[in-house]
Amino acid sequence: MSGGARYKLTVDAHLLLRRDGVRGPEVLLSRRAGAVYAAGMWHLPSGHLDGPHEDLVEAVIREGREETGVLIDRGDVSHAVTVHHRSPFGGARIGVFFEVRRWTGEPRITEPHLCDAMAWHHVDDLPDPMVAYCRAGLEAHRAGHPFALHFQQPGDPIAHLTEAPDRTEPMPGPYH
């Protein structure tokens, strides 16, 4: 160990509400609005841990209630994928994505100052503009990878763009 201060990261909990649509599996996305990072871009309902008293499952349940109005039972939460992300500005974080297929209530916009649209999207037809970090997690999960690195470089766009370099490095699980 180097003896210096320990490196610390922000931890995000992402809610992947999933339902079976007419064309197949769909996920609920919200469009960020207001004075927030990535305003105007689609993203999963998500947020940071509120402190050391809150575990990741509690956080995703809370975010589901706060951002979409749905109630989620702890037993209905399953790990989907974890992403170690670095933004184009150099800040890093760990995003833990949780899939939920059963909840109570109809998802709706409950924080209009932070979200101006909410819609179901087929997992193979995600909208643009979408936060690249979120898209990386969804695509890694769809491919069956439990972990991915998403280290953007200075100058990379925040949004997923087809013509931009894909910085996602999916990592296979122990049984791949």
Side-chain angles (χ1 to χ4, degrees):
M1 181 159 170
S2 66
R6 289 187 182 257
Y7 180 61
K8 296 180 182 179
L9 292 172
T10 298
V11 178
D12 300 327
H14 298 263
L15 174 58
L16 200 163
L17 279 183
R18 183 175 166 162
R19 72 176 188 185
D20 292 325
V22 175
R23 297 183 316 138
E26 297 176 331
V27 295
L28 184 73
L29 298 174
S30 58
R31 190 171 58 206
R32 300 174 59 80
V36 296
Y37 178 80
M41 295 182 199
W42 292 94
H43 199 284
L44 291 168
S46 63
H48 305 152
L49 288 173
D50 270 354
H53 65 281
E54 184 176 53
D55 68 48
L56 279 162
V57 175
E58 289 170 341
V60 81
I61 290 169
R62 175 183 51 76
E63 290 294 342
R65 185 181 64 254
E66 289 176 359
E67 293 191 22
T68 72
V70 301
L71 302 176
I72 300 166
D73 183 81
R74 189 176 182 90
D76 292 323
V77 177
S78 63
H79 175 258
V81 63
T82 299
V83 178
H84 185 187
H85 167 70
R86 181 182 63 210
S87 81
F89 311 110
R93 59 195 337 105
I94 297 288
V96 185
F97 294 65
F98 293 96
E99 185 173 287
V100 174
R101 294 183 184 212
R102 188 171 49 202
W103 59 87
T104 302
E106 190 62 34
R108 66 190 189 286
I109 297 171
T110 58
E111 297 177 320
H113 59 291
L114 299 175
C115 168
D116 65 3
M118 187 174 284
W120 292 98
H121 296 273
H122 189 276
V123 297
D124 293 327
D125 189 20
L126 298 171
D128 286 322
M130 185 173 187
V131 176
Y133 158 45
C134 179
R135 179 89 173 232
L138 284 170
E139 289 180 356
H141 175 56
R142 187 178 64 186
H145 298 288
F147 182 80
L149 297 171
H150 186 255
F151 268 41
Q152 292 181 293
Q153 300 298 314
D156 282 355
I158 296 168
H160 168 268
L161 300 174
T162 305
E163 64 275 6
D166 182 1
R167 303 290 186 195
T168 308
E169 183 181 349
M171 306 297 291
Y175 303 108
H176 279 97

